[in-house]
Amino acid sequence: MKFAFFPGCVSKGGCPELYQSVMEVYPRLGLELEEMTTASCTGAGVLQEKDRKLGDVLNARTFALAEQSGLPIMTICSTCQGVMSQANHRLTTDPPYLAAVNEILGEEGLTYRGTTQIRHFVWILLEELGEQGIRQRVRRPLTELRAAPFYGCYLQRPSEALGFQDQPERAKSLELIMSWLGLEVVDFPGKTRCCGFPLLTINEKNSLRMVASHTLDAKRHGADILVTPCPLCHLNLDGMQSSAARQEQADIDLPIWHLPQLLGLAMGMEPKQLGLTRHLVSTQRVLDKLGSAVA
Amino acid sequence: MITTFRIRRFNPETSPSMPYFQEYKLDTDRADTVLDALIHIRETLDESLTLRCSCRGAICGSCAMRINGHAALACKTKVQAMASERGIVQVEPMNNMPVIKDLVTDMAGFWEKVRQVQPWLQPAGQEPEAEYLASAESMNHLTGVMGCIMCGACVSDCAALEVDERFVGPAALAKAYRFVADPRDGAGRSRLLALNEPGGMWDCTRCMECIEVCPKGVGAMDRIMSLRGQGIQAEVPSTCGARHAEVFADLIYRKGRLDEPMLAVRTFGLRNLSRLLSLLPMVLRAFVRGKVPKTGPFHRAIPGLEKFRRLFQRMEERP
Ligand code: SF4
Ligand code: SF4
Ligand code: FES
């Protein structure tokens, strides 16, 4: 199946290992990707604080570009997915609004008819490959690993824009995929809470408290790693974890993995190939635990 | 259907007064709400179970509690929609506020914060001879937020309040929006100035919990974002949050995409050099780890930027 690939700014910026791991795994999953190089940032919810309609126009432009190529969009960032889903929901449920946005898009000779599907990589794994498609690709079941899912906000809320009514399994997508990789899924209450990233510039103290609270909670529940479908969650939970530990005077040291890295490892790829050496919280202890399984 | 209700109990008068879970089994009907079941438990199984309710029709807001981990009105939630595969429904009191007994919480702090935003009209200028006039359009816009029943569900599940109880919270901020956006109110600027302070509109982490759990579709977070936008427009003293949004928009205009290092440099800038410097160790570690994209630390612009910019100019009337 072919997708218009929208990598998002962060997978090509502060989280290059996410882009790297997706590039490694997608051909082995039978997916075809055509990267959308001329698409803009979604606004990440920040631009929308200033001007929501401007954000919707930029996203409608991206949807129109995909519509022209006749391809559904694939995202690899929960924030991109959430912001785009919300924009698309507003545009497709309010025809006069869509017409007003199209008038502005006309500037670039574009129109959006409202037909583009936007799907996160996690949902594509769930809905296109499914249990059988994933299980048959697993070469090294990660049975020694106890992993906790961390969705963050944008892949969970608002559920209406994310299509949970029609696709209720999306609410559990991470757990399902992780269990198909053979590992033990650790459930913990923080899995759908905010990672704190949007507060980092505004109120660092509260942001770091969120990092410490979720990582410590996951550890208390017995997790060896946290797995996230969002590079922004990764930036905070991995990048700011040592600051959070210092602030809250706690010993955390919990590696945060991108889902495609976990998938790649289970499919038999090497840690370095998947960018697992590029994290700020070392993944080595976990890789050692997996021992011969990933040697 | 036999349903197990796993209810969090707490009685401060017993010792030791630690919360604990107690289970009750009940035969429930397709039409039963969680409130029906709780009342039934109180009437037939355990008269000590304490809860609060009044209208039973999703109007008074008094039966808000956490059902399977998220705040909801018990009278608006069907048992069978919540029962797990094993027929279990977990019921707890609201979060982010003290528990008085079992499912009843103390909402004094909630009301204190609502009072803090001065929830009354403060018209400016000469009093009109007849009534204050407002357009039907502006009032229609306000009906959504006026539908708030002050149940506290959004406050219960607010992620920012969980880490900092000083945050004024979604219900009070939605109420503040109701007055800032009312054309008859004349105190907009002073309201925005107050909301611009620490603990105000910039402390929301945009987690959307308040949107998801609100039984009335008030959309508190969207109102908070509108307040932020109005604050930026009204040029109330620039906070880190406001600069972040402004710089973010400008970077997208210049490059079509985000440039993270530039965003940090321009948001904190010389005004907060120490904050910028505090990020240095993390940045250096990221470099050592090879956490730098192939294109280098500063992002290139998207192809076709000129055409893209025209959209922006048209929206923002930029030069
Ligand atoms: S979006 Fe903001 S106000 Fe709403 S629950 Fe999250 S942090 Fe609280
Ligand atoms: S905004 Fe919604 S959830 Fe919050 S108090 Fe009002 S009605 Fe309840
Ligand atoms: S009892 Fe009034 S809202 Fe539920």
Side-chain angles (χ1 to χ4, degrees):
Chain A
M1 188 164 189
K2 194 170 176 183
F3 292 90
F5 175 39
F6 182 90
C9 307
V10 180
S11 87
K12 301 208 95 177
C15 266
E17 71 283 354
L18 170 61
Y19 184 79
Q20 177 185 349
S21 58
V22 170
M23 286 296 110
E24 290 291 338
V25 297
Y26 90 82
R28 295 167 167 88
L29 296 168
L31 301 176
E32 258 187 273
L33 302 183
E34 197 173 281
E35 191 166 323
M36 301 188 78
T37 51
T38 59
S40 72
C41 172
T42 65
V46 182
L47 173 72
Q48 285 78 357
E49 294 176 339
K50 196 169 154 347
D51 186 343
R52 179 148 101 179
K53 189 171 176 194
L54 173 60
D56 286 348
V57 168
L58 301 193
N59 286 302
R61 174 182 174 273
T62 304
F63 307 156
L65 290 171
E67 201 173 52
Q68 270 184 351
S69 65
L71 295 175
I73 293 176
M74 175 176 116
T75 65
I76 51 171
C77 166
S78 301
T79 305
C80 293
Q81 179 65 45
V83 172
M84 287 169 128
S85 297
Q86 290 167 42
N88 202 31
H89 188 66
R90 285 191 285 272
L91 293 164
T92 51
T93 53
D94 186 348
Y97 185 54
L98 178 61
V101 166
N102 268 329
E103 207 206 305
I104 300 162
L105 286 186
E107 199 74 56
E108 249 193 289
L110 290 169
T111 340
Y112 179 46
R113 286 182 287 118
T115 65
T116 301
Q117 276 187 39
I118 307 135
R119 289 161 82 188
H120 193 285
F121 178 61
V122 172
W123 298 346
I124 292 168
L125 294 177
L126 182 78
E127 290 152 16
E128 296 302 325
L129 283 104
E131 179 167 3
Q132 220 199 342
I134 304 267
R135 282 198 195 273
Q136 77 189 23
R137 288 176 166 83
V138 172
R139 298 279 169 272
R140 298 164 175 163
L142 305 171
T143 41
E144 301 92 333
L145 199 58
R146 290 168 58 81
F150 190 88
Y151 287 92
C153 307
Y154 284 80
L155 219 50
Q156 287 281 328
R157 293 175 294 275
S159 50
E160 195 188 351
L162 298 172
F164 281 16
Q165 291 99 324
D166 301 329
Q167 308 275 4
E169 293 210 316
R170 284 182 179 177
K172 294 249 167 246
S173 49
L174 269 185
E175 285 96 322
L176 288 169
I177 294 160
M178 286 162 65
S179 69
W180 299 337
L181 302 180
L183 47 80
E184 187 181 335
V185 178
V186 176
D187 199 13
F188 80 111
K191 69 182 176 188
T192 61
R193 305 295 278 168
C194 175
C195 69
F197 187 74
L199 272 185
L200 189 59
T201 39
I202 299 162
N203 189 331
E204 187 185 16
K205 192 170 169 196
N206 288 355
S207 175
L208 296 181
R209 269 191 194 154
M210 290 181 190
V211 172
S213 139
H214 303 319
T215 45
L216 288 169
D217 194 17
K219 265 183 87 161
R220 261 194 299 275
H221 281 78
D224 298 318
I225 61 168
L226 268 194
V227 181
T228 178
C230 182
L232 295 174
C233 292
H234 193 272
L235 280 183
N236 221 34
L237 297 171
D238 174 67
M240 301 308 293
Q241 195 181 109
S242 62
S243 308
R246 219 172 308 125
Q247 177 181 290
E248 301 298 312
Q249 297 180 345
D251 174 23
I252 307 180
D253 192 23
L254 182 71
I256 317 294
W257 289 35
H258 302 285
L259 182 75
Q261 294 177 319
L262 195 68
L263 182 67
L265 206 63
M267 283 171 28
M269 284 171 233
E270 298 307 315
K272 194 152 192 274
Q273 202 182 350
L274 298 162
L276 276 161
T277 47
R278 295 174 112 175
H279 296 197
L280 294 197
V281 177
S282 170
T283 57
Q284 197 53 51
R285 193 169 39 84
V286 177
L287 293 170
D288 290 345
K289 180 178 172 181
L290 289 172
S292 57
V294 295
Chain B
M1 185 181 102
I2 300 293
T3 309
T4 304
F5 290 87
R6 213 174 160 254
I7 302 175
R8 191 173 158 103
R9 306 290 311 267
F10 171 68
N11 183 352
E13 286 165 9
T14 54
S15 86
S17 56
M18 289 293 284
Y20 60 98
F21 279 98
Q22 190 166 353
E23 293 191 353
Y24 303 89
K25 281 195 192 323
L26 206 64
D27 193 1
T28 54
D29 190 70
R30 208 171 59 87
D32 281 343
T33 64
V34 172
L35 184 62
D36 294 331
L38 293 174
I39 291 173
H40 200 76
I41 291 171
R42 190 178 60 184
E43 284 174 354
T44 61
L45 300 175
D46 185 348
E47 63 187 17
S48 74
L49 179 66
T50 307
L51 58 123
R52 184 162 50 197
C53 65
S54 177
C55 72
R56 303 195 194 182
I59 292 167
C60 72
S62 59
C63 69
M65 56 188 73
R66 267 183 304 151
I67 304 170
N68 289 353
H70 295 283
L73 296 178
C75 70
K76 203 189 171 200
T77 309
K78 290 273 165 62
V79 172
Q80 295 198 357
M82 299 311 288
S84 67
E85 276 166 20
R86 289 179 295 144
I88 300 173
V89 178
Q90 180 158 309
V91 187
E92 296 163 273
M94 284 195 283
N95 215 354
N96 289 333
M97 46 189 103
V99 180
I100 297 173
K101 194 179 173 202
D102 293 342
L103 301 172
V104 177
T105 53
D106 180 357
M107 292 184 69
F110 172 92
W111 295 112
E112 185 48 48
K113 286 177 176 176
V114 173
R115 270 193 293 275
Q116 190 186 323
V117 304
Q118 306 193 341
W120 53 84
L121 272 179
Q122 297 175 27
Q126 187 86 41
E127 207 172 303
E129 281 193 1
E131 60 277 297
Y132 285 95
L133 290 179
S135 70
E137 196 190 16
S138 61
M139 286 296 113
N140 272 341
H141 172 65
L142 284 181
T143 49
V145 64
M146 279 153 77
C148 170
I149 56 171
M150 297 276 131
C151 63
C154 54
V155 165
S156 159
D157 286 19
C158 174
L161 268 169
E162 205 168 68
V163 292
D164 190 351
E165 61 181 13
R166 287 170 310 172
F167 176 42
V168 66
L173 284 168
K175 185 59 87 187
Y177 176 82
R178 182 251 167 279
F179 291 98
V180 169
D182 192 316
R184 299 166 300 174
D185 191 75
R189 188 170 167 82
S190 66
R191 291 180 190 278
L192 288 168
L193 278 168
L195 297 171
N196 206 37
E197 293 295 316
M201 60 185 172
W202 291 102
D203 272 25
C204 157
T205 186
R206 294 203 312 265
C207 72
M208 293 176 284
E209 298 273 8
C210 54
I211 295 185
E212 190 71 14
V213 299
C214 175
K216 293 290 166 185
V218 170
M221 189 192 88
D222 290 336
R223 314 298 179 172
I224 298 169
M225 295 308 114
S226 299
L227 286 172
R228 288 181 179 182
Q230 296 201 28
I232 293 174
Q233 255 179 11
E235 294 179 351
V236 294
S238 170
T239 58
C240 237
R243 272 197 308 282
H244 187 242
E246 297 267 31
V247 173
F248 202 106
D250 192 56
L251 285 174
I252 300 181
Y253 172 73
R254 287 179 192 285
K255 297 196 168 177
R257 54 201 305 252
L258 181 59
D259 184 334
E260 295 136 330
M262 203 46 103
L263 180 64
V265 169
R266 286 183 51 196
T267 299
F268 297 124
L270 294 174
R271 290 173 224 235
N272 198 345
L273 198 59
S274 61
R275 178 72 203 283
L276 202 54
L277 289 175
S278 76
L279 290 173
L280 254 186
M282 194 266 284
V283 173
L284 288 175
R285 276 193 302 134
F287 263 98
V288 171
R289 289 271 176 179
K291 221 172 146 53
V292 188
K294 281 203 186 104
T295 47
F298 295 95
H299 294 272
R300 309 230 165 96
I302 57 169
L305 187 69
E306 278 315 310
K307 275 206 241 161
F308 169 79
R309 275 191 183 168
R310 261 182 254 137
L311 290 185
F312 241 84
Q313 286 161 344
R314 171 108 188 257
M315 292 290 295
E316 291 210 315
E317 289 165 22
R318 278 173 187 263

